[in-house]
Amino acid sequence: MRSLLDRHRASLAGVGVGAAGVVDPTTGTVLVTANSFTGWAGYGVTDAVAARLGVPATLDNDVNAFLLGEVAAGGGRRGSPTSSA
C-alpha cells in the first residue's frame, strides 16, 4: 500500500471508508460492531485516516459505501451494460 499511496498522494483529494456495523457518518466514528469487526466500537475512523493521510476522510456503513461505488463506477451507473437504468 505504501507504494500506491506514494504514487498518488499528490492527486489524493480525500478518502472514503466503509466499515461494518453501525457508524456515525457525522462524527466518523464506529458505534457498534459485530463479531467479525471487534474492537472498533468508539473508534474515530475519519480522524485517524485524515491524520495519517493528510486529506479529508468520510465514513459510512460498508454496504452504503459499496452501493455508492457501484452507482459511481460500477454496474449500477446509468448507461452501464449491466445497469437497468
Side-chain angles (χ1 to χ4, degrees), residues 26-82:
T26 304
T27 64
T29 304
V30 175
L31 301 175
V32 179
T33 62
N35 290 340
S36 63
F37 196 59
T38 60
W40 287 78
Y43 187 70
V45 174
T46 55
D47 288 344
V49 170
R52 178 80 170 123
L53 299 179
V55 295
T58 187
L59 174 70
D60 205 342
N61 174 269
D62 60 336
V63 173
N64 292 340
F66 170 78
L67 290 173
L68 286 170
E70 280 296 307
V71 168
R77 71 181 189 277
R78 287 193 190 276
S80 167
T82 59

